[in-house]
Amino acid sequence: MERWSYVLASVLLAAVGLGVAMYRHADTGVPVLPDEDRVVWQIEARIELLATGVPTEVLLTLPPEQDGFLALSETGASPGFGFTVDQSGTQRRAHWTKRFATGEQVLFYQTDLIADPQHRVAPKPPGEVRKPSFDGPYATAAAEVLNALLPKATNAKTLADQLVQAANTRPLSQNLSLLLQGQAPAPLISSLLNQAGIAARTVKALRLDEGRRYQRLSDYVQVWHDGAWLLYDLGRGRIDDTAQLLLWQTDNPSVFDVVGGMRSRVTFSMTSQIRSALGLSRLRDSPFDLTLHGLPIAEQAMFKLILTLPVGALVVVLMRLLVGIRTAGTFMPVLIALSFLQTELLAGMIGLVLVVGAALLLRFYLSALNLLLVARIATLVVVVIALVTVLAVVSYRLGLISGLAITFFPMVILAWTVERMSILWEEEGAGEALIQGAGSLLVAVCAYLVMNLPLVRHLSFNYPELHLCVLAAILLLGRYTGYRLLELHRFRPLAKESS
Amino acid sequence: MNWWAAPANLRERGVMGLNRRNLDYVSGYNDRGAYPLVDNKLLTKQLAAKAGIPMPALIYDLARQYEVEAVHSQLADLSKFVIKPAQGSGGRGILVIAGRDGEHFVKGNGERVGMGQIKRLLTNIISGLYSLGGRMDSAIVESLVNAHPMFNAMSVGGVPDIRVIVFQGYPVMAMLRLGTRASDGKANLHQGAVGVGLDVRTGQGVGAVQRDRTITHHPDSRERLDGIRIPNWPELLRLASRCFDVTRLGYLGCDIVIDAQAGPLLLEMNARPGLAIQIANGTGLDSRLRAVLARESFAPTVDERVAFALDGLGGAIG
């Protein structure tokens, strides 16, 4: 029978997906469950510069060996450039050269680091402390700051603690605010500690957050105390947990140097993978790495997001065909859920409701202008972007950083949503518009919750063949002719007699 | 009353869900190529005219801006007419003119309308303001239906219509739709109009529904709804049944109005008719559709199909 052959085909599809996944599991040992112990960070530095047509030379300081991270591999090959790693200085440096380069150049350095809390590196003790030279009014101010704190401090650690705390106290003391006019916070704190004869230095480190792209290094202060370097974040004080922080530049004076280029900048992208040590070693040996891990990191981060979409689509199919929730626009909820993955759920929901609500009000004014559809949507795109801009600026002013996350929403999708909601409002009444709006939000939140499950994110990226199973489920649901859950409620008057 | 019905219970009573309607009936029996015949009211009218199916008379149609400018003389002698978009949906862009007041026109609710307003409406219609997806549309000027006096006490606002579900040419279920204040006089169930289930054998009211809840009286006129009996029922079913021969849409909803003088007139057709008709009739569609499918060979004539319906669909109604 036709229906059974269809079911059989779907089941076969799912079996193929499952089979390939099982074979790959046996072959590469990629774990089925997300295993927090074996996180591998892939970090990519991207250097952009405009070469001026003379011999070009680029030096990038490389992260030192440090606690908590075990270096697995590194590559820096970039087309047209010679690449070596320079070990001669205090810190390793990547060295790219090209005889003649002109125009836009992009260089990549990529390293894989295993996050391993057990990994310890003997700290390199500091050399002799060089007293900095504060001059004029700064010297007096520095002396006064230190004199105020030194009696309370018993050692390097307590002095550093108090100094960082003083720099965070508002209002600032007059002396500190004077000093901060002359120097950035991190170098200033280091200099003050040096002044007091304590070994301290300004370092640059990279915050590791899953899937971040185009990040910069931030300044931190390291203080030598009791045979170890303590790390201070100027905004928050001493950092004990450095698992999410990769020291990049400690001894060298600069992060990168460019000769023969201009308008250069370096940005960092990162992504984490979960793989077993066995899988790692096999992948390293294989000449053809045909998994998604072979892609540049920025693209990998994109794919991690994109590959959760089919799961979201499945959730929409379930909610519409099995539950019977009405949504405005078929797959708009998945795109909203995708945005929620990048914002946070609460911030995303508040932002979404605010923008759609405000745009809807403006849309009612637009309907009085009698515009044609294309012009109407285009107007709404402009309105939505204006609203998003205002919301981002206002929330940032109010100190709500999460307000900025609103920019992750796809603007054109938002504009379409507003248009659909308002047509619904006019044609079917406010009730129907609210039902469908709330339904869309509910489905979006459900899709978000499923797409955000660590297991789902892990499997969808590491075992992409499992999407065949998702596809099979969608195909099967596409032929479901039974009742929807909400229809059992809707049609209950029809059942009462025989019950 | 329970909040939930058991699926087995609903299945036993032949209740059809949306998934089943979409998959087994709408996509199973309706050819997408025939959709424009029902979605575009101008095409519907041409088709109906050729087949001799009575509809409200088309006075005039226009699709170009220069025709709007010339509308002045076309409407000069008219006092009762309806302007609507050919591809409109949800009742948007419809203007009902019930009389004249010198140079002005008077709407169904007594409001006065000038020629300028009418021209602006026509411009909006042909530029696609009311059509699905904003496509260019044509405007239709048709004659106004005089609602049968039997509905005067019952309905609020516009003309009530009768929705008949026609499956493979067999009328299987029917429902009278009455405007309410909640629906702003429109006979649209989504907006709160009342649906009165009609016995497909007799045209007699069997139950009523508003917003998916069963009711016994009209919410505004307080009129009892179970005593309704539609006159000329077999003629109305014949009209509905003939729509299948014209469109070849196997699963079809026909909306029919009863004009005081002309009798039953086809208003429009729908290729995905809703399911609230089941609640209004207090019974499911599935068993009736199966009764039609169980007929070995389809009766060739309209009369035989209608006779099968009047006879109770081979016992499926009861």
Side-chain angles (χ1 to χ4, degrees):
Chain A
M1 204 174 138
E2 190 246 354
R3 179 161 284 183
W4 286 111
S5 63
Y6 181 83
V7 170
L8 195 68
S10 304
V11 170
L12 266 175
L13 204 60
V16 168
L18 213 58
V20 172
M22 280 162 68
Y23 169 76
R24 285 221 307 127
H25 176 63
D27 186 40
T28 62
V30 178
V32 174
L33 296 172
D35 180 358
E36 294 298 335
D37 291 336
R38 277 171 287 194
V39 175
V40 175
W41 286 100
Q42 271 194 355
I43 293 153
E44 185 179 86
R46 173 192 169 98
I47 299 167
E48 288 164 74
L49 62 111
L50 198 63
T52 47
V54 295
T56 303
E57 200 173 341
V58 179
L59 281 161
L60 174 72
T61 299
L62 299 182
E65 223 189 309
Q66 55 191 291
D67 287 0
F69 295 99
L70 196 62
L72 194 67
S73 68
E74 62 180 353
T75 53
S78 294
F81 279 83
F83 172 70
T84 50
V85 174
D86 173 10
Q87 313 259 18
S88 62
T90 47
Q91 224 181 318
R92 294 185 329 129
R93 291 200 290 180
H95 189 189
W96 288 275
T97 49
K98 192 174 186 181
R99 188 74 67 75
F100 176 81
T102 181
E104 186 87 35
Q105 309 287 328
V106 183
L107 302 171
F108 290 100
Y109 167 80
Q110 186 176 322
T111 181
D112 287 11
L113 300 168
I114 301 176
D116 180 1
Q118 264 71 52
H119 183 65
R120 290 269 173 263
V121 178
K124 203 162 65 178
E128 199 180 326
V129 178
R130 259 193 20 220
K131 299 240 171 170
S133 52
F134 287 103
D135 31 73
Y138 295 124
T140 329
E144 279 181 26
V145 167
L146 288 174
N147 285 341
L149 293 177
L150 274 173
K152 288 185 263 176
T154 50
N155 54 24
K157 182 175 157 190
T158 47
L159 181 62
D161 283 350
Q162 290 183 14
L163 208 48
V164 170
Q165 199 191 352
N168 275 319
T169 313
R170 293 288 178 280
L172 278 172
S173 76
Q174 268 189 333
N175 287 323
L176 268 175
S177 52
L178 174 71
L179 287 165
L180 281 169
Q181 280 166 21
Q183 250 181 320
L188 174 69
I189 300 289
S190 315
S191 302
L192 284 172
L193 288 165
N194 289 348
Q195 181 77 24
I198 291 166
R201 61 187 179 184
T202 304
V203 297
K204 286 185 188 295
L206 184 65
R207 225 193 136 70
L208 299 179
D209 271 324
E210 169 55 20
R212 286 302 164 99
R213 298 193 281 160
Y214 307 118
Q215 301 297 298
R216 305 291 185 125
L217 299 178
S218 323
D219 280 349
Y220 294 84
V221 173
Q222 270 191 328
V223 179
W224 181 257
H225 170 71
D226 208 9
W229 286 105
L230 301 176
L231 192 65
Y232 285 84
D233 178 335
L234 270 297
R236 287 180 305 169
R238 195 168 67 241
I239 304 172
D240 294 319
D241 176 22
T242 54
Q244 302 281 95
L245 212 54
L246 178 71
L247 292 176
W248 197 278
Q249 177 234 328
T250 51
D251 298 296
N252 274 4
S254 69
V255 175
F256 79 118
D257 299 298
V258 173
V259 178
M262 48 197 246
R263 275 188 255 155
S264 55
R265 62 170 195 153
V266 60
T267 54
F268 298 86
S269 304
M270 67 212 77
T271 181
S272 67
Q273 301 162 10
I274 296 113
R275 285 197 254 164
S276 72
L278 183 67
L280 283 168
S281 59
R282 286 205 186 171
L283 276 177
R284 290 295 141 215
D285 296 341
S286 110
F288 304 105
D289 185 357
L290 288 181
T291 62
L292 290 160
H293 302 122
L295 292 174
I297 293 189
E299 276 67 29
Q300 279 191 34
M302 278 298 293
F303 267 103
K304 279 195 173 174
L305 218 55
I306 290 172
L307 284 172
T308 57
L309 266 178
V311 184
L314 178 63
V315 171
V316 171
V317 171
L318 281 172
M319 294 296 266
R320 285 177 66 107
L321 294 185
L322 291 193
V323 181
I325 289 175
R326 278 170 286 170
T327 59
T330 318
F331 284 103
M332 194 266 283
V334 194
L335 296 172
I336 300 284
L338 201 62
S339 315
F340 285 165
L341 284 179
Q342 301 183 59
T343 64
E344 276 164 39
L345 186 58
L346 193 67
M349 273 170 69
I350 294 173
L352 181 73
V353 169
L354 277 180
V355 170
V356 171
L360 209 52
L361 287 180
L362 284 167
R363 168 66 178 76
F364 285 124
Y365 169 71
L366 280 184
S367 78
L369 293 181
N370 281 350
L371 297 177
L372 289 180
L373 182 84
V374 181
R376 217 154 62 207
I377 303 277
T379 314
L380 279 174
V381 171
V382 177
V383 165
V384 163
I385 285 172
L387 284 170
V388 165
T389 312
V390 169
L391 200 69
V393 170
V394 168
S395 62
Y396 188 70
R397 283 275 149 175
L398 293 176
L400 305 168
I401 305 289
S402 52
L404 292 174
I406 187 76
T407 47
F408 283 114
F409 281 109
M411 301 300 154
V412 177
I413 299 289
L414 277 186
W416 264 109
T417 307
V418 172
E419 173 67 16
R420 277 176 171 284
M421 291 282 289
S422 79
I423 286 183
L424 216 60
W425 196 293
E426 283 168 12
E427 290 185 356
E428 311 275 341
E432 184 67 20
L434 288 180
I435 285 176
Q436 294 202 10
S440 305
L441 199 59
L442 179 70
V443 174
V445 170
C446 289
Y448 161 81
L449 291 176
V450 174
M451 286 156 80
N452 201 30
L453 286 177
L455 182 67
V456 169
R457 306 193 79 164
H458 168 72
L459 288 180
S460 65
F461 186 73
N462 290 297
Y463 287 103
E465 57 273 14
L466 285 179
H467 284 113
L468 286 177
C469 301
V470 173
L471 183 63
I474 291 173
L475 288 176
L476 283 178
L477 282 168
R479 296 291 282 263
Y480 170 74
T481 57
Y483 300 112
R484 301 172 182 182
L485 186 62
L486 290 180
E487 282 177 342
L488 299 181
H489 172 70
R490 181 187 179 194
F491 291 132
R492 75 198 183 285
L494 293 172
K496 62 181 173 184
E497 282 164 45
S498 46
S499 63
Chain B
M1 192 192 297
N2 284 332
W3 265 85
W4 304 101
N9 195 333
L10 288 181
R11 213 172 297 128
E12 189 189 315
R13 299 186 51 88
V15 176
M16 185 160 79
L18 274 172
N19 290 340
R20 192 167 171 72
R21 180 201 72 176
N22 290 344
L23 202 60
D24 287 352
Y25 293 100
V26 172
S27 59
Y29 290 93
N30 288 352
D31 173 20
R32 279 211 76 89
Y35 279 23
L37 300 180
V38 296
D39 288 340
N40 186 333
K41 296 185 183 72
L42 207 53
L43 288 182
T44 310
K45 270 197 195 304
Q46 288 163 359
L47 209 63
K50 222 184 288 169
I53 292 174
M55 287 186 80
L58 175 65
I59 300 172
Y60 184 51
D61 71 274
L62 64 170
R64 304 224 154 66
Q65 189 57 37
Y66 64 80
E67 294 174 300
V68 174
E69 300 308 323
V71 82
H72 214 94
S73 54
Q74 301 281 346
L75 299 181
D77 306 327
L78 298 175
S79 60
K80 289 186 172 187
F81 58 91
V82 179
I83 294 176
K84 56 169 77 164
Q87 302 177 64
S89 66
R92 289 205 311 153
I94 295 181
L95 176 70
V96 177
I97 297 297
R100 289 293 284 261
D101 180 8
E103 273 300 288
H104 285 88
F105 297 90
V106 182
K107 274 168 65 172
N109 59 10
E111 244 174 79
R112 279 153 45 109
V113 180
M115 185 61 84
Q117 276 167 283
I118 287 185
K119 280 188 182 169
R120 194 155 63 242
L121 173 70
L122 290 171
T123 304
N124 283 340
I125 289 176
I126 63 178
S127 69
L129 192 65
Y130 306 109
S131 71
L132 288 169
R135 280 172 304 189
M136 298 292 275
D137 200 1
S138 7
I140 293 176
V141 182
E142 65 176 24
S143 59
L144 178 65
V145 174
N146 283 319
H148 195 278
M150 70 169 284
F151 298 120
N152 287 353
M154 245 175 304
S155 183
V156 169
V159 182
D161 67 1
I162 293 151
R163 156 70 56 90
V164 183
I165 304 277
V166 180
F167 180 53
Q168 297 292 62
Y170 292 86
V172 289
M173 201 175 269
M175 166 174 70
L176 170 68
R177 299 187 295 191
L178 303 168
T180 60
R181 235 172 267 143
S183 77
D184 197 23
K186 289 181 183 141
N188 185 333
L189 252 56
H190 280 296
Q191 291 169 350
V194 168
V196 183
L198 299 172
D199 189 330
V200 83
R201 294 170 295 190
T202 57
Q204 174 87 38
V206 292
V209 63
Q210 186 190 27
R211 294 201 187 281
D212 285 346
R213 249 167 253 137
T214 48
I215 54 173
T216 54
H217 294 77
H218 192 284
D220 305 316
S221 65
R222 307 307 309 162
E223 201 77 17
R224 277 194 76 85
L225 292 170
D226 50 5
I228 295 175
R229 191 185 176 115
I230 306 296
N232 285 336
W233 187 244
E235 191 194 338
L236 190 144
L237 290 191
R238 258 194 295 281
L239 172 58
S241 175
R242 282 162 68 195
C243 293
F244 166 69
D245 297 326
V246 187
T247 59
R248 302 310 293 177
L249 288 168
Y251 187 73
L252 187 66
C254 298
D255 296 346
I256 296 167
V257 288
I258 301 183
D259 188 90
Q261 288 84 40
L265 299 177
L266 178 68
L267 198 61
E268 61 180 30
M269 290 182 271
N270 193 326
R272 338 177 129 245
L275 295 177
I277 194 170
Q278 300 182 109
I279 307 174
N281 277 276
T283 182
L285 264 167
D286 221 19
S287 43
R288 300 188 181 189
L289 299 175
R290 266 194 301 242
V292 171
L293 286 176
R295 301 246 311 172
E296 286 288 309
S297 59
F298 290 126
T301 68
V302 171
D303 283 338
E304 276 170 287
R305 294 195 301 244
V306 171
F308 185 62
L310 290 173
D311 201 35
L313 296 167
I317 302 174

